Amino acid sequence: MIIAIGSDLCNIERIQNSLNRFGEKFERRVFTEIEQAKGNSRPFTKAGTLAKRFAAKEAFSKAVGTGFKRGVFMKDIGVVNARSGAPTLALTGGAAERLAAITPPGHEAVVHLTLTDDHPWAQAFIVIEARKLPEAP
């Protein structure tokens, strides 16, 4: 069953301006090491790469109903790629706790994420599914 959805639209030029103004300080404050490495591996589209990840963080915080409050921080939400290459989230700290709190008993949460960009916009859409756990014999 679907327990939450969230979406966000981020301006790539806004992220580029933050990179220009604050550089690595901005990157370290907002993005995980994996996200920073992904951005650095794409020097010509770094701002777009990071803008999609920024949008994913915002979309998740909306889906779980907290925004960046109640212990949910941007660096607790990291975009990673599954073996298939599809984007998904790696959650830590308050983000992982909040996801656990909204997941019904006897279920596991599965986060579905899609990212896209078309300059000057980057977008993320999240669906959080609760899958029933198999019952113990």
Side-chain angles (χ1 to χ4, degrees), residues 10-17 47-48 51-52 117-122:
C10 179
N11 187 289
I12 295 168
E13 292 171 5
R14 178 175 158 228
I15 298 300
Q16 184 63 62
N17 290 341
K52 287 185 282 190
D117 66 294
D118 187 8
H119 194 84
W121 301 107

Side-chain angles (χ1 to χ4, degrees), residues 2 6 8 10 12 23 25 31 37-38 48 52 57-58 61 63-64 66 70 75 78 89 93 96 103 112 118 120 125:
I2 294 173
D8 190 67
C10 179
I12 295 168
K25 182 177 179 182
F31 300 102
K38 180 69 88 170
K52 287 185 282 190
K57 294 167 187 292
E58 290 277 359
S61 75
V64 297
T66 59
R70 296 173 42 195
K75 284 193 72 169
L89 296 181
T103 303
H112 303 278
D118 187 8
F125 189 79

Side-chain angles (χ1 to χ4, degrees), residues 25-40:
K25 182 177 179 182
F26 168 69
E27 290 180 64
R28 285 192 307 270
R29 182 170 182 253
V30 174
F31 300 102
T32 66
E33 289 181 13
I34 291 170
E35 292 170 321
Q36 291 174 55
K38 180 69 88 170
N40 289 331

Side-chain angles (χ1 to χ4, degrees), residues 22-115:
F22 302 108
E24 289 182 10
K25 182 177 179 182
F26 168 69
E27 290 180 64
R28 285 192 307 270
R29 182 170 182 253
V30 174
F31 300 102
T32 66
E33 289 181 13
I34 291 170
E35 292 170 321
Q36 291 174 55
K38 180 69 88 170
N40 289 331
S41 74
R42 299 174 171 174
F44 298 110
T45 59
K46 181 176 183 173
T49 297
L50 295 178
K52 287 185 282 190
R53 282 144 184 83
F54 190 94
K57 294 167 187 292
E58 290 277 359
F60 177 83
S61 75
K62 292 172 184 176
V64 297
T66 59
F68 294 106
K69 297 178 184 172
R70 296 173 42 195
V72 176
F73 300 103
M74 284 203 163
K75 284 193 72 169
D76 290 342
I77 307 162
V79 176
V80 296
N81 293 94
R83 286 185 184 170
S84 66
T88 189
L89 296 181
L91 304 171
T92 59
E97 291 170 13
R98 181 64 183 151
L99 181 61
I102 67 167
T103 303
H107 291 74
E108 68 175 340
V110 179
V111 177
H112 303 278
L113 168 64
T114 185
L115 303 170

